[in-house]
Amino acid sequence: MKAVRSKGARSAAWLVAMLVLSCLAGIAQAQTRAWLDRDRIAFGETTTLNVETDGAGDAPDWTPLARDFDVSGHTSRREVEITGGRRVTRSLYGVALRPRREGVLTVPALQVGGARTAPLSLSVAPAAVTAARDGAPAFIEADIDVQSPYVQQSVGYVLRLYYATPLVSGSLDQPSPEGASMQRIGSDVQYSRDIDGRRYSVVERRYQIVPERSGTLSIPGARFEGRGAGGGMFDDVFNRGPRELSANGPPSVLDVRAMPANAPQPWLPLYGVQARWLEAPTEGRAGEASAFVLEAVFDGAVGTQLPEIGLPPLQGAQVFAEPPQYDESFEDGRPRVRLTRRYSVVPRAEGSLQVPGPRIAWWDVRAGAARTSGPPAVSLAVA
C-alpha cells in the first residue's frame, strides 16, 4: 500500500509539472504578436510590419513575405522590464512592406523562434491620383472621416506632409479650430509614395477633433516650414546652403449637427460598440470574490470620452470594480478605444446569483438611432 501511494504521488506530481509547463509554453507563445501601422494603403505606398516577442534572440523569418511584398528598412530594438519580480526581455522588429499588387493581401504568419504570429489582412487600393502640386518639393494634404458630425462626436483628421527632397530641419504646425478641441492621436507614421513618377516621403499625423457646438466649424490649414538638403554636387561649389521649403495645407469646413432630442444620456455618439466577457465564471463560493472581466471596443472615441461603465447593483452580493484600462488606436480614419475592466463579485450566501452585464447606451451616428450594448447576464452557482 505504501508503494502504491508513492507511485500515485509521483504520477500526480508529474501531471502537475506537465500542466505547468504547458501553461508556461502557452503564455510564451501568446506574447509573440504582429501588427501593421496601417492596414489600408494605396498601391505604391509602404506600411510597417511590427513583430514583438519575448524570446531572446529569436528574430522573425521574413522569407514568406517575398511572395507579395518588397521588404526593406529592417529595424530592431530590445527592452528589459521587471514584471511581478520576474525579468522580462522583449524584442521589437520592424520592416517596411511595399505591396506588389492591388487588392486584399494577406501578410503571412511568420516563424519567431518556437512561436508563430497570426496572419494579417492588408487592403491595397489603386494608386492615388494626386497631383504633385505642379512639381512642388513639399505640399500638404488633409483628410476628414466625416463632413457632418454630431456635436461632441469624435472626428478623425489626418494630415500628410509630402516632401521630395531630404529634410535638414522642419516644423509642421496645425492650428486648433475655434469651437472644438483638437488632440494628436499616436505617433507620426512615415512612408513613401510615388506620384507622377516622383518619389515622395510622407509624414502622416493623426488628430481627434471634437466639436463643442452645432453649426459651421472651420479647421485652419496646416503650415510647414523647413529646409531641404542641396540638390547636387554644384551646391557645395557655389556655396549654396540648404534649400528653404514651405507649404500650406487646405482649410476644411464641417457642418456640425445638434444632439437629437431623443438621444440617450450620457451622450455618446459612436460608430459601434462591441462588448463581451473575457472572464465570466459560472461557479463561486459565498464570501469569496469571483472575478468578471469586461472587454468593450468603442469605434469612434478615446478613453476620456467614455462614461462610467459598471455592473448594476446586485442583491445578495457586493461588487468591487478596478479602474478601467484603455488601449487606444486609430483605424479607418478615426480613433478607437478598447476598454478592459475587472469586477470582483462577492456573494453573501449560497444559491444561484444572476450577474447582469453592464448596459452601454450610445447613439449610432450612421443610422441616427439610439442603441444599447453589453454582454449577456451570467448565472453564478454559489456553494
Side-chain angles (χ1 to χ4, degrees), residues 239-273:
N239 297 319
R240 295 174 184 170
R243 180 180 182 182
E244 299 295 329
L245 298 176
S246 65
N248 292 316
S252 304
V253 178
L254 302 182
D255 181 17
V256 182
R257 291 179 283 178
M259 182 190 308
N262 61 334
Q265 297 298 323
W267 169 241
L268 189 61
L270 298 167
Y271 286 88
V273 177

PDB file of all heavy atoms in Angstrom, residues 239-273:
ATOM      1  N   ASN A 239      28.666  77.394 -52.888  1.00  0.00           N
ATOM      2  CA  ASN A 239      28.308  77.764 -51.519  1.00  0.00           C
ATOM      3  C   ASN A 239      26.802  77.909 -51.325  1.00  0.00           C
ATOM      4  O   ASN A 239      26.333  78.817 -50.649  1.00  0.00           O
ATOM      5  CB  ASN A 239      29.011  79.064 -51.109  1.00  0.00           C
ATOM      6  CG  ASN A 239      30.520  78.923 -51.091  1.00  0.00           C
ATOM      7  OD1 ASN A 239      31.031  77.897 -50.649  1.00  0.00           O
ATOM      8  ND2 ASN A 239      31.219  79.950 -51.556  1.00  0.00           N
ATOM      9  N   ARG A 240      26.081  77.061 -51.971  1.00  0.00           N
ATOM     10  CA  ARG A 240      24.633  77.076 -51.788  1.00  0.00           C
ATOM     11  C   ARG A 240      24.277  76.252 -50.545  1.00  0.00           C
ATOM     12  O   ARG A 240      24.626  75.082 -50.447  1.00  0.00           O
ATOM     13  CB  ARG A 240      23.915  76.500 -53.008  1.00  0.00           C
ATOM     14  CG  ARG A 240      24.099  77.340 -54.264  1.00  0.00           C
ATOM     15  CD  ARG A 240      23.485  76.631 -55.459  1.00  0.00           C
ATOM     16  NE  ARG A 240      23.728  77.346 -56.693  1.00  0.00           N
ATOM     17  CZ  ARG A 240      23.469  76.843 -57.901  1.00  0.00           C
ATOM     18  NH1 ARG A 240      22.965  75.623 -58.017  1.00  0.00           N
ATOM     19  NH2 ARG A 240      23.722  77.554 -58.977  1.00  0.00           N
ATOM     20  N   GLY A 241      23.590  76.870 -49.629  1.00  0.00           N
ATOM     21  CA  GLY A 241      23.197  76.184 -48.407  1.00  0.00           C
ATOM     22  C   GLY A 241      21.930  75.369 -48.607  1.00  0.00           C
ATOM     23  O   GLY A 241      21.453  75.202 -49.733  1.00  0.00           O
ATOM     24  N   PRO A 242      21.382  74.864 -47.510  1.00  0.00           N
ATOM     25  CA  PRO A 242      20.133  74.102 -47.599  1.00  0.00           C
ATOM     26  C   PRO A 242      19.010  74.940 -48.205  1.00  0.00           C
ATOM     27  O   PRO A 242      18.944  76.157 -48.014  1.00  0.00           O
ATOM     28  CB  PRO A 242      19.848  73.751 -46.135  1.00  0.00           C
ATOM     29  CG  PRO A 242      21.181  73.815 -45.461  1.00  0.00           C
ATOM     30  CD  PRO A 242      21.922  74.896 -46.159  1.00  0.00           C
ATOM     31  N   ARG A 243      18.122  74.286 -48.894  1.00  0.00           N
ATOM     32  CA  ARG A 243      17.033  74.958 -49.599  1.00  0.00           C
ATOM     33  C   ARG A 243      15.855  75.192 -48.657  1.00  0.00           C
ATOM     34  O   ARG A 243      15.439  74.302 -47.929  1.00  0.00           O
ATOM     35  CB  ARG A 243      16.603  74.082 -50.774  1.00  0.00           C
ATOM     36  CG  ARG A 243      15.470  74.656 -51.608  1.00  0.00           C
ATOM     37  CD  ARG A 243      15.137  73.689 -52.723  1.00  0.00           C
ATOM     38  NE  ARG A 243      14.093  74.212 -53.584  1.00  0.00           N
ATOM     39  CZ  ARG A 243      13.580  73.546 -54.614  1.00  0.00           C
ATOM     40  NH1 ARG A 243      14.040  72.333 -54.900  1.00  0.00           N
ATOM     41  NH2 ARG A 243      12.625  74.078 -55.359  1.00  0.00           N
ATOM     42  N   GLU A 244      15.306  76.402 -48.668  1.00  0.00           N
ATOM     43  CA  GLU A 244      14.140  76.730 -47.847  1.00  0.00           C
ATOM     44  C   GLU A 244      12.892  76.095 -48.460  1.00  0.00           C
ATOM     45  O   GLU A 244      12.658  76.192 -49.669  1.00  0.00           O
ATOM     46  CB  GLU A 244      13.968  78.242 -47.752  1.00  0.00           C
ATOM     47  CG  GLU A 244      15.135  78.970 -47.099  1.00  0.00           C
ATOM     48  CD  GLU A 244      15.292  78.594 -45.635  1.00  0.00           C
ATOM     49  OE1 GLU A 244      14.274  78.285 -44.984  1.00  0.00           O
ATOM     50  OE2 GLU A 244      16.433  78.616 -45.146  1.00  0.00           O
ATOM     51  N   LEU A 245      12.089  75.455 -47.613  1.00  0.00           N
ATOM     52  CA  LEU A 245      10.860  74.810 -48.058  1.00  0.00           C
ATOM     53  C   LEU A 245       9.690  75.340 -47.243  1.00  0.00           C
ATOM     54  O   LEU A 245       9.826  75.628 -46.043  1.00  0.00           O
ATOM     55  CB  LEU A 245      10.944  73.290 -47.895  1.00  0.00           C
ATOM     56  CG  LEU A 245      12.014  72.540 -48.684  1.00  0.00           C
ATOM     57  CD1 LEU A 245      12.002  71.072 -48.312  1.00  0.00           C
ATOM     58  CD2 LEU A 245      11.788  72.703 -50.181  1.00  0.00           C
ATOM     59  N   SER A 246       8.535  75.427 -47.866  1.00  0.00           N
ATOM     60  CA  SER A 246       7.318  75.825 -47.155  1.00  0.00           C
ATOM     61  C   SER A 246       6.115  75.257 -47.888  1.00  0.00           C
ATOM     62  O   SER A 246       6.172  75.000 -49.102  1.00  0.00           O
ATOM     63  CB  SER A 246       7.206  77.351 -47.044  1.00  0.00           C
ATOM     64  OG  SER A 246       7.062  77.925 -48.328  1.00  0.00           O
ATOM     65  N   ALA A 247       5.036  75.046 -47.149  1.00  0.00           N
ATOM     66  CA  ALA A 247       3.808  74.525 -47.744  1.00  0.00           C
ATOM     67  C   ALA A 247       2.634  74.891 -46.840  1.00  0.00           C
ATOM     68  O   ALA A 247       2.773  74.954 -45.609  1.00  0.00           O
ATOM     69  CB  ALA A 247       3.885  73.009 -47.921  1.00  0.00           C
ATOM     70  N   ASN A 248       1.487  75.172 -47.457  1.00  0.00           N
ATOM     71  CA  ASN A 248       0.253  75.466 -46.736  1.00  0.00           C
ATOM     72  C   ASN A 248      -0.768  74.376 -47.028  1.00  0.00           C
ATOM     73  O   ASN A 248      -0.982  74.012 -48.193  1.00  0.00           O
ATOM     74  CB  ASN A 248      -0.312  76.829 -47.142  1.00  0.00           C
ATOM     75  CG  ASN A 248       0.564  77.973 -46.678  1.00  0.00           C
ATOM     76  OD1 ASN A 248       1.030  77.975 -45.545  1.00  0.00           O
ATOM     77  ND2 ASN A 248       0.794  78.942 -47.556  1.00  0.00           N
ATOM     78  N   GLY A 249      -1.394  73.842 -45.984  1.00  0.00           N
ATOM     79  CA  GLY A 249      -2.422  72.834 -46.165  1.00  0.00           C
ATOM     80  C   GLY A 249      -3.782  73.455 -46.424  1.00  0.00           C
ATOM     81  O   GLY A 249      -4.016  74.634 -46.128  1.00  0.00           O
ATOM     82  N   PRO A 250      -4.719  72.690 -46.979  1.00  0.00           N
ATOM     83  CA  PRO A 250      -6.047  73.230 -47.279  1.00  0.00           C
ATOM     84  C   PRO A 250      -6.895  73.351 -46.013  1.00  0.00           C
ATOM     85  O   PRO A 250      -6.855  72.483 -45.142  1.00  0.00           O
ATOM     86  CB  PRO A 250      -6.638  72.173 -48.222  1.00  0.00           C
ATOM     87  CG  PRO A 250      -5.958  70.898 -47.809  1.00  0.00           C
ATOM     88  CD  PRO A 250      -4.570  71.282 -47.390  1.00  0.00           C
ATOM     89  N   PRO A 251      -7.668  74.445 -45.865  1.00  0.00           N
ATOM     90  CA  PRO A 251      -8.618  74.526 -44.754  1.00  0.00           C
ATOM     91  C   PRO A 251      -9.812  73.598 -45.010  1.00  0.00           C
ATOM     92  O   PRO A 251     -10.070  73.200 -46.145  1.00  0.00           O
ATOM     93  CB  PRO A 251      -9.039  75.993 -44.747  1.00  0.00           C
ATOM     94  CG  PRO A 251      -8.845  76.441 -46.168  1.00  0.00           C
ATOM     95  CD  PRO A 251      -7.679  75.651 -46.702  1.00  0.00           C
ATOM     96  N   SER A 252     -10.539  73.259 -43.944  1.00  0.00           N
ATOM     97  CA  SER A 252     -11.697  72.368 -44.047  1.00  0.00           C
ATOM     98  C   SER A 252     -12.871  72.981 -43.292  1.00  0.00           C
ATOM     99  O   SER A 252     -12.679  73.747 -42.340  1.00  0.00           O
ATOM    100  CB  SER A 252     -11.377  70.983 -43.474  1.00  0.00           C
ATOM    101  OG  SER A 252     -10.247  70.410 -44.111  1.00  0.00           O
ATOM    102  N   VAL A 253     -14.073  72.643 -43.729  1.00  0.00           N
ATOM    103  CA  VAL A 253     -15.291  73.153 -43.095  1.00  0.00           C
ATOM    104  C   VAL A 253     -16.208  71.972 -42.794  1.00  0.00           C
ATOM    105  O   VAL A 253     -16.465  71.123 -43.661  1.00  0.00           O
ATOM    106  CB  VAL A 253     -16.020  74.169 -44.000  1.00  0.00           C
ATOM    107  CG1 VAL A 253     -17.311  74.634 -43.336  1.00  0.00           C
ATOM    108  CG2 VAL A 253     -15.121  75.358 -44.296  1.00  0.00           C
ATOM    109  N   LEU A 254     -16.708  71.915 -41.541  1.00  0.00           N
ATOM    110  CA  LEU A 254     -17.637  70.875 -41.110  1.00  0.00           C
ATOM    111  C   LEU A 254     -18.995  71.485 -40.794  1.00  0.00           C
ATOM    112  O   LEU A 254     -19.076  72.614 -40.296  1.00  0.00           O
ATOM    113  CB  LEU A 254     -17.112  70.142 -39.870  1.00  0.00           C
ATOM    114  CG  LEU A 254     -15.747  69.465 -39.973  1.00  0.00           C
ATOM    115  CD1 LEU A 254     -15.434  68.746 -38.661  1.00  0.00           C
ATOM    116  CD2 LEU A 254     -15.706  68.504 -41.139  1.00  0.00           C
ATOM    117  N   ASP A 255     -20.046  70.730 -41.062  1.00  0.00           N
ATOM    118  CA  ASP A 255     -21.408  71.122 -40.696  1.00  0.00           C
ATOM    119  C   ASP A 255     -21.814  70.260 -39.504  1.00  0.00           C
ATOM    120  O   ASP A 255     -22.159  69.085 -39.656  1.00  0.00           O
ATOM    121  CB  ASP A 255     -22.359  70.901 -41.873  1.00  0.00           C
ATOM    122  CG  ASP A 255     -23.786  71.318 -41.560  1.00  0.00           C
ATOM    123  OD1 ASP A 255     -23.972  72.066 -40.579  1.00  0.00           O
ATOM    124  OD2 ASP A 255     -24.709  70.865 -42.265  1.00  0.00           O
ATOM    125  N   VAL A 256     -21.760  70.805 -38.306  1.00  0.00           N
ATOM    126  CA  VAL A 256     -21.952  70.047 -37.067  1.00  0.00           C
ATOM    127  C   VAL A 256     -23.434  70.017 -36.708  1.00  0.00           C
ATOM    128  O   VAL A 256     -24.085  71.071 -36.584  1.00  0.00           O
ATOM    129  CB  VAL A 256     -21.138  70.667 -35.914  1.00  0.00           C
ATOM    130  CG1 VAL A 256     -21.302  69.835 -34.647  1.00  0.00           C
ATOM    131  CG2 VAL A 256     -19.659  70.771 -36.310  1.00  0.00           C
ATOM    132  N   ARG A 257     -23.970  68.791 -36.536  1.00  0.00           N
ATOM    133  CA  ARG A 257     -25.375  68.611 -36.179  1.00  0.00           C
ATOM    134  C   ARG A 257     -25.578  68.665 -34.668  1.00  0.00           C
ATOM    135  O   ARG A 257     -24.703  68.266 -33.895  1.00  0.00           O
ATOM    136  CB  ARG A 257     -25.883  67.274 -36.711  1.00  0.00           C
ATOM    137  CG  ARG A 257     -25.998  67.215 -38.222  1.00  0.00           C
ATOM    138  CD  ARG A 257     -26.478  65.868 -38.695  1.00  0.00           C
ATOM    139  NE  ARG A 257     -25.411  64.858 -38.650  1.00  0.00           N
ATOM    140  CZ  ARG A 257     -25.585  63.589 -38.985  1.00  0.00           C
ATOM    141  NH1 ARG A 257     -26.792  63.149 -39.342  1.00  0.00           N
ATOM    142  NH2 ARG A 257     -24.572  62.749 -38.938  1.00  0.00           N
ATOM    143  N   ALA A 258     -26.747  69.136 -34.241  1.00  0.00           N
ATOM    144  CA  ALA A 258     -27.073  69.231 -32.818  1.00  0.00           C
ATOM    145  C   ALA A 258     -27.413  67.855 -32.249  1.00  0.00           C
ATOM    146  O   ALA A 258     -27.717  66.902 -32.982  1.00  0.00           O
ATOM    147  CB  ALA A 258     -28.242  70.190 -32.609  1.00  0.00           C
ATOM    148  N   MET A 259     -27.381  67.752 -30.930  1.00  0.00           N
ATOM    149  CA  MET A 259     -27.748  66.500 -30.264  1.00  0.00           C
ATOM    150  C   MET A 259     -29.243  66.237 -30.454  1.00  0.00           C
ATOM    151  O   MET A 259     -30.061  67.121 -30.211  1.00  0.00           O
ATOM    152  CB  MET A 259     -27.427  66.603 -28.770  1.00  0.00           C
ATOM    153  CG  MET A 259     -27.714  65.336 -27.985  1.00  0.00           C
ATOM    154  SD  MET A 259     -27.591  65.611 -26.186  1.00  0.00           S
ATOM    155  CE  MET A 259     -25.979  66.385 -26.061  1.00  0.00           C
ATOM    156  N   PRO A 260     -29.641  65.041 -30.902  1.00  0.00           N
ATOM    157  CA  PRO A 260     -31.067  64.744 -31.080  1.00  0.00           C
ATOM    158  C   PRO A 260     -31.825  64.795 -29.754  1.00  0.00           C
ATOM    159  O   PRO A 260     -31.266  64.524 -28.685  1.00  0.00           O
ATOM    160  CB  PRO A 260     -31.069  63.319 -31.667  1.00  0.00           C
ATOM    161  CG  PRO A 260     -29.695  63.153 -32.231  1.00  0.00           C
ATOM    162  CD  PRO A 260     -28.780  63.941 -31.363  1.00  0.00           C
ATOM    163  N   ALA A 261     -33.104  65.142 -29.843  1.00  0.00           N
ATOM    164  CA  ALA A 261     -33.922  65.267 -28.629  1.00  0.00           C
ATOM    165  C   ALA A 261     -34.099  63.932 -27.916  1.00  0.00           C
ATOM    166  O   ALA A 261     -34.214  63.887 -26.689  1.00  0.00           O
ATOM    167  CB  ALA A 261     -35.286  65.864 -28.991  1.00  0.00           C
ATOM    168  N   ASN A 262     -34.117  62.826 -28.660  1.00  0.00           N
ATOM    169  CA  ASN A 262     -34.342  61.500 -28.057  1.00  0.00           C
ATOM    170  C   ASN A 262     -33.047  60.756 -27.774  1.00  0.00           C
ATOM    171  O   ASN A 262     -33.046  59.534 -27.598  1.00  0.00           O
ATOM    172  CB  ASN A 262     -35.224  60.650 -28.977  1.00  0.00           C
ATOM    173  CG  ASN A 262     -34.594  60.414 -30.349  1.00  0.00           C
ATOM    174  OD1 ASN A 262     -33.778  61.224 -30.793  1.00  0.00           O
ATOM    175  ND2 ASN A 262     -34.984  59.339 -31.014  1.00  0.00           N
ATOM    176  N   ALA A 263     -31.947  61.460 -27.729  1.00  0.00           N
ATOM    177  CA  ALA A 263     -30.648  60.801 -27.525  1.00  0.00           C
ATOM    178  C   ALA A 263     -30.504  60.328 -26.086  1.00  0.00           C
ATOM    179  O   ALA A 263     -30.951  61.003 -25.150  1.00  0.00           O
ATOM    180  CB  ALA A 263     -29.523  61.771 -27.862  1.00  0.00           C
ATOM    181  N   PRO A 264     -29.891  59.140 -25.876  1.00  0.00           N
ATOM    182  CA  PRO A 264     -29.657  58.657 -24.508  1.00  0.00           C
ATOM    183  C   PRO A 264     -28.602  59.504 -23.804  1.00  0.00           C
ATOM    184  O   PRO A 264     -27.740  60.094 -24.445  1.00  0.00           O
ATOM    185  CB  PRO A 264     -29.175  57.214 -24.726  1.00  0.00           C
ATOM    186  CG  PRO A 264     -28.580  57.218 -26.097  1.00  0.00           C
ATOM    187  CD  PRO A 264     -29.377  58.201 -26.891  1.00  0.00           C
ATOM    188  N   GLN A 265     -28.719  59.534 -22.481  1.00  0.00           N
ATOM    189  CA  GLN A 265     -27.751  60.260 -21.658  1.00  0.00           C
ATOM    190  C   GLN A 265     -27.020  59.291 -20.740  1.00  0.00           C
ATOM    191  O   GLN A 265     -27.635  58.366 -20.214  1.00  0.00           O
ATOM    192  CB  GLN A 265     -28.467  61.341 -20.837  1.00  0.00           C
ATOM    193  CG  GLN A 265     -29.143  62.414 -21.673  1.00  0.00           C
ATOM    194  CD  GLN A 265     -28.168  63.203 -22.528  1.00  0.00           C
ATOM    195  OE1 GLN A 265     -27.052  63.480 -22.107  1.00  0.00           O
ATOM    196  NE2 GLN A 265     -28.583  63.554 -23.751  1.00  0.00           N
ATOM    197  N   PRO A 266     -25.707  59.421 -20.542  1.00  0.00           N
ATOM    198  CA  PRO A 266     -24.871  60.470 -21.130  1.00  0.00           C
ATOM    199  C   PRO A 266     -24.719  60.310 -22.640  1.00  0.00           C
ATOM    200  O   PRO A 266     -24.749  59.199 -23.160  1.00  0.00           O
ATOM    201  CB  PRO A 266     -23.537  60.280 -20.413  1.00  0.00           C
ATOM    202  CG  PRO A 266     -23.520  58.841 -20.008  1.00  0.00           C
ATOM    203  CD  PRO A 266     -24.934  58.507 -19.671  1.00  0.00           C
ATOM    204  N   TRP A 267     -24.545  61.431 -23.310  1.00  0.00           N
ATOM    205  CA  TRP A 267     -24.476  61.480 -24.769  1.00  0.00           C
ATOM    206  C   TRP A 267     -23.179  60.851 -25.253  1.00  0.00           C
ATOM    207  O   TRP A 267     -22.090  61.263 -24.880  1.00  0.00           O
ATOM    208  CB  TRP A 267     -24.590  62.929 -25.203  1.00  0.00           C
ATOM    209  CG  TRP A 267     -24.291  63.263 -26.627  1.00  0.00           C
ATOM    210  CD1 TRP A 267     -23.316  64.101 -27.071  1.00  0.00           C
ATOM    211  CD2 TRP A 267     -24.978  62.828 -27.803  1.00  0.00           C
ATOM    212  NE1 TRP A 267     -23.344  64.215 -28.436  1.00  0.00           N
ATOM    213  CE2 TRP A 267     -24.360  63.432 -28.928  1.00  0.00           C
ATOM    214  CE3 TRP A 267     -26.047  61.966 -28.024  1.00  0.00           C
ATOM    215  CZ2 TRP A 267     -24.777  63.227 -30.229  1.00  0.00           C
ATOM    216  CZ3 TRP A 267     -26.473  61.747 -29.323  1.00  0.00           C
ATOM    217  CH2 TRP A 267     -25.852  62.371 -30.403  1.00  0.00           C
ATOM    218  N   LEU A 268     -23.308  59.797 -26.097  1.00  0.00           N
ATOM    219  CA  LEU A 268     -22.135  59.069 -26.559  1.00  0.00           C
ATOM    220  C   LEU A 268     -22.311  58.722 -28.033  1.00  0.00           C
ATOM    221  O   LEU A 268     -22.778  57.630 -28.383  1.00  0.00           O
ATOM    222  CB  LEU A 268     -21.948  57.796 -25.718  1.00  0.00           C
ATOM    223  CG  LEU A 268     -20.643  57.007 -25.911  1.00  0.00           C
ATOM    224  CD1 LEU A 268     -19.433  57.861 -25.564  1.00  0.00           C
ATOM    225  CD2 LEU A 268     -20.653  55.739 -25.074  1.00  0.00           C
ATOM    226  N   PRO A 269     -21.959  59.640 -28.957  1.00  0.00           N
ATOM    227  CA  PRO A 269     -22.092  59.359 -30.393  1.00  0.00           C
ATOM    228  C   PRO A 269     -20.931  58.500 -30.893  1.00  0.00           C
ATOM    229  O   PRO A 269     -19.771  58.871 -30.762  1.00  0.00           O
ATOM    230  CB  PRO A 269     -22.070  60.756 -31.021  1.00  0.00           C
ATOM    231  CG  PRO A 269     -21.288  61.593 -30.045  1.00  0.00           C
ATOM    232  CD  PRO A 269     -21.503  61.011 -28.679  1.00  0.00           C
ATOM    233  N   LEU A 270     -21.258  57.343 -31.503  1.00  0.00           N
ATOM    234  CA  LEU A 270     -20.245  56.375 -31.915  1.00  0.00           C
ATOM    235  C   LEU A 270     -20.647  55.716 -33.228  1.00  0.00           C
ATOM    236  O   LEU A 270     -21.801  55.786 -33.665  1.00  0.00           O
ATOM    237  CB  LEU A 270     -20.063  55.289 -30.843  1.00  0.00           C
ATOM    238  CG  LEU A 270     -19.573  55.725 -29.463  1.00  0.00           C
ATOM    239  CD1 LEU A 270     -19.751  54.597 -28.471  1.00  0.00           C
ATOM    240  CD2 LEU A 270     -18.118  56.156 -29.533  1.00  0.00           C
ATOM    241  N   TYR A 271     -19.677  55.010 -33.830  1.00  0.00           N
ATOM    242  CA  TYR A 271     -19.953  54.170 -34.991  1.00  0.00           C
ATOM    243  C   TYR A 271     -20.348  52.755 -34.581  1.00  0.00           C
ATOM    244  O   TYR A 271     -20.988  52.039 -35.351  1.00  0.00           O
ATOM    245  CB  TYR A 271     -18.726  54.115 -35.903  1.00  0.00           C
ATOM    246  CG  TYR A 271     -18.498  55.378 -36.679  1.00  0.00           C
ATOM    247  CD1 TYR A 271     -17.749  56.419 -36.137  1.00  0.00           C
ATOM    248  CD2 TYR A 271     -19.032  55.544 -37.952  1.00  0.00           C
ATOM    249  CE1 TYR A 271     -17.533  57.589 -36.848  1.00  0.00           C
ATOM    250  CE2 TYR A 271     -18.824  56.710 -38.671  1.00  0.00           C
ATOM    251  CZ  TYR A 271     -18.071  57.737 -38.102  1.00  0.00           C
ATOM    252  OH  TYR A 271     -17.872  58.897 -38.812  1.00  0.00           O
ATOM    253  N   GLY A 272     -19.930  52.313 -33.419  1.00  0.00           N
ATOM    254  CA  GLY A 272     -20.270  50.960 -32.995  1.00  0.00           C
ATOM    255  C   GLY A 272     -19.692  50.655 -31.622  1.00  0.00           C
ATOM    256  O   GLY A 272     -18.728  51.282 -31.178  1.00  0.00           O
ATOM    257  N   VAL A 273     -20.300  49.671 -30.950  1.00  0.00           N
ATOM    258  CA  VAL A 273     -19.831  49.174 -29.653  1.00  0.00           C
ATOM    259  C   VAL A 273     -19.901  47.649 -29.681  1.00  0.00           C
ATOM    260  O   VAL A 273     -20.932  47.081 -30.054  1.00  0.00           O
ATOM    261  CB  VAL A 273     -20.672  49.710 -28.478  1.00  0.00           C
ATOM    262  CG1 VAL A 273     -20.196  49.095 -27.157  1.00  0.00           C
ATOM    263  CG2 VAL A 273     -20.596  51.221 -28.399  1.00  0.00           C
TER     264      VAL A 273
END
